[in-house]
Amino acid sequence: MKKANFEQYHIRKWYSFVEETLANESGVLADGEPVYKYAVAVAIHNPFAGQFQQDLNALIEKSPELGREFGRRIQALAQGRAIESYGKAILVGMNSEYEHGNAFLTNPAANPVREAIGGGKSWVPSTGKRGVAGTIIDVPLAHKDALYVRSHYDTFSLSFNDAPNNDEIIVIWAFATRGRLHARLGGLKASEIKGEDGLN
């Protein structure tokens, strides 16, 4: 068993990503502010690697503390910019179960992240897969207060050159400050959000 260094977890590495998009794929300059995308990820040892464990509460129990640390780190990355979109993902090492990773995406871990970005009424889009170091994962993004805002459907593609190890899980949270540049497919606008049910 690897020695814990964050609550009961053994964390090998934290990652931070910042992307600033000034023009769309056709070269048309931003219609307003650039799109800032941020991601925070952690490579964490999976104590259940190589085995089936019925009760996964040991992974979930202290995950709110992990969520608070994600929140602190995204606040530092964003430098005061308001967050409009979010998404989450897990990349699970090959000696681990996909279900082990999903334990880190439950509401106990997610709620502190919502709080850190000023709340969020919509469910957080998520994905995940098993992989090796260098695997690319596309983290889905959607508006944090209304899932039906089409302009904010997006992804943040990430890879990690040295993770996950076979006995690791990478937990990822991604964020954006606005919708896609020159989004023009209609539907509910961010300015029209009612904020009642997380959909509209």
Side-chain angles (χ1 to χ4, degrees):
M1 183 67 180
K2 296 184 178 180
K3 187 176 181 181
N5 59 358
F6 185 93
E7 297 296 336
Q8 82 267 32
Y9 306 119
H10 174 87
I11 291 175
R12 182 169 67 86
K13 200 167 190 176
W14 283 96
Y15 301 83
S16 297
F17 300 86
V18 178
E19 181 180 286
E20 179 183 359
T21 304
L22 305 174
N24 77 354
E25 298 84 351
S26 301
V28 180
L29 296 180
D31 51 339
E33 292 295 315
V35 180
Y36 288 90
K37 292 181 183 177
Y38 308 103
V40 178
V42 63
I44 191 166
H45 173 67
N46 177 14
F48 301 138
Q51 60 180 290
F52 179 84
Q53 175 70 27
Q54 182 65 40
D55 185 354
L56 298 180
N57 282 328
L59 300 179
I60 299 171
E61 183 181 9
K62 293 293 184 178
S63 63
E65 294 303 320
L66 201 60
R68 278 185 270 279
E69 182 62 16
F70 271 101
R72 185 189 71 78
R73 288 172 181 266
I74 182 53
Q75 285 178 332
L77 273 186
Q79 298 181 337
R81 294 186 184 94
I83 298 297
E84 291 191 0
S85 299
Y86 54 20
K88 58 187 178 180
I90 42 107
L91 187 53
V92 179
M94 295 305 291
N95 201 26
S96 300
E97 291 182 13
Y98 184 52
E99 193 72 357
H100 298 159
N102 279 311
F104 289 98
L105 299 184
T106 58
N107 278 338
N111 287 337
V113 180
R114 282 190 173 96
E115 293 170 11
I117 61 170
K121 292 187 178 295
S122 75
W123 58 271
V124 187
S126 66
T127 192
K129 61 183 179 181
R130 296 171 72 221
V132 297
T135 297
I136 296 172
I137 187 160
D138 295 324
V139 186
L141 295 169
H143 199 287
K144 70 184 183 68
D145 291 316
L147 194 61
Y148 290 166
V149 179
R150 295 178 194 167
S151 59
H152 287 57
Y153 297 161
D154 208 344
T155 56
F156 198 179
S157 298
L158 303 169
S159 66
F160 308 84
N161 69 314
D162 65 344
N165 286 332
N166 285 339
D167 63 350
E168 286 181 335
I169 297 166
I170 300 181
V171 184
I172 308 158
W173 276 84
F175 309 86
T177 57
R178 54 161 291 178
R180 303 183 310 276
L181 297 184
H182 299 284
R184 50 198 187 275
L185 298 178
L188 181 70
K189 296 179 181 179
S191 60
E192 300 170 341
I193 293 173
K194 296 176 184 176
E196 296 172 355
D197 56 8
L199 299 176
N200 299 288

